[in-house]
Amino acid sequence: MDQLMETVSSAGYKSGFWIGLYIEINWRWSDGFSGSFTGNSYETSVNPSNCLSDQICMIVYWHSEHHHWSDSNCSSVFPFVCYNGTQQNPDYVFVNERMNWSSAQRYCRHNFTDLATLRNETDWTKLYSVTPIEQNVWIGLYIDTNISWSDGSNFSFSQKPTSSSLQPGVTTARCGYQYRPNTNDWYLYPCEYRYPFVCCGLPKVSRRVKLRLKVENSDLLSDAAVKEKLLEKLQEKLEENGVSGVKLKWKQTTDGKVFNREKKKKTEL
């Protein structure tokens, strides 16, 4: 993090930018319904304390006659809504017993059809008619999440990302955003947004190797085509010996020369 911030600061940039954090969001309904919700856009934000979980369970709540989606840790306990009948024509039943999401799911499947599925505005209205005002209730919606870095490595860090609003059944991914003045939080924004970004890569390491050549005509070594051909042959030789990721180039001296005639050592008598 220190190196990242130093890189951005040295560029004179003071706002936010993309980082390689990426979260896949897979919406699921308990009864297997795979269609998307139709109607007004009811949005939810993922709480940072839940965002790193493999599974996030959803509640709905009523406030001032408005209904909302929200996320919660699946181990939290709330009343819940089951349904009888079919997905196409459900009859909702409010169960005023506090259970975690999995227990509520088992209860609904044992006594009714399943936890409530909401397909459209009509379903919302029917659910609203059986649910108390100002009451959080479990429904059958949950999210499978997979957080990773752009290079495929697993997510492992003390900071917890906070997602912007998610639309159930529609949002499928969020991308990582870092606000430079705040190093304590990461944010997950729609990947279609446009921001500057920071790339990373392995540091370049250069190594100088002296090469001794024996030629009958030293003038050939001043020919650019000959020097290029020599590099190609040396590169092929490295690859034959299992050395990859190395780029060879000639090192020029201050006078522009690559090869210099080796001085003969004096022979002592």
Side-chain angles (χ1 to χ4, degrees), residues 55 57 74 100-107 138:
Q55 190 178 93
C57 297
C74 299
N100 62 37
W101 191 90
S102 296
S103 296
Q105 182 191 52
R106 286 194 297 269
Y107 183 97
W138 288 127

Side-chain angles (χ1 to χ4, degrees), residues 1-9 157 159 183:
M1 178 59 76
D2 291 341
Q3 184 179 355
L4 174 67
M5 289 303 168
E6 177 61 29
T7 299
V8 176
S9 297
F157 204 82
Q159 289 173 261
T183 60

Side-chain angles (χ1 to χ4, degrees), residues 37-226:
F37 177 81
T38 58
N40 294 330
S41 297
Y42 300 97
E43 296 185 335
T44 182
S45 60
V46 174
N47 187 291
S49 64
N50 302 326
C51 196
L52 300 185
S53 303
D54 292 334
Q55 190 178 93
I56 302 170
C57 297
M58 304 299 293
I59 58 175
V60 296
Y61 63 97
W62 315 108
H63 177 68
S64 301
E65 297 187 359
H66 294 288
H67 35 275
H68 305 271
W69 313 87
S70 184
D71 64 282
S72 184
N73 190 302
C74 299
S75 62
S76 301
V77 291
F78 296 110
F80 50 96
V81 177
C82 307
Y83 80 90
N84 261 329
T86 65
Q87 291 178 352
Q88 291 71 31
N89 187 28
D91 291 321
Y92 295 113
V93 179
F94 172 67
V95 179
N96 194 19
E97 295 187 36
R98 299 177 68 85
M99 298 183 185
N100 62 37
W101 191 90
S102 296
S103 296
Q105 182 191 52
R106 286 194 297 269
Y107 183 97
C108 289
R109 288 178 173 179
H110 180 74
N111 296 281
F112 303 98
T113 301
D114 212 318
L115 275 167
T117 293
L118 303 173
R119 301 170 299 116
N120 48 45
E121 290 284 353
T122 301
D123 289 349
W124 268 112
T125 302
K126 293 170 69 173
L127 186 71
Y128 175 73
S129 68
V130 301
T131 307
I133 299 293
E134 306 288 345
Q135 177 65 68
N136 295 334
V137 295
W138 288 127
I139 58 173
L141 185 62
Y142 65 97
I143 309 172
D144 285 329
T145 61
N146 180 29
I147 301 179
S148 62
W149 291 102
S150 177
D151 64 0
S153 58
N154 292 330
F155 176 81
S156 178
F157 204 82
S158 58
Q159 289 173 261
K160 294 183 178 180
T162 303
S163 181
S164 59
S165 60
L166 307 175
Q167 188 171 342
V170 176
T171 309
T172 58
R174 279 290 187 265
C175 293
Y177 174 90
Q178 173 71 62
Y179 184 51
R180 197 188 73 78
N182 181 6
T183 60
N184 296 320
D185 297 293
W186 287 326
Y187 301 90
L188 293 164
Y189 286 168
C191 302
E192 296 78 18
Y193 287 3
R194 293 175 178 266
Y195 294 113
F197 48 92
V198 177
C199 302
C200 72
L202 295 174
K204 293 182 179 179
V205 178
S206 61
R207 179 177 297 175
R208 185 175 178 179
V209 179
K210 289 186 178 180
L211 184 67
R212 180 182 284 113
L213 296 177
K214 185 177 180 179
V215 294
E216 293 183 1
N217 184 0
S218 60
D219 292 338
L220 288 173
L221 297 178
S222 61
D223 189 307
V226 172

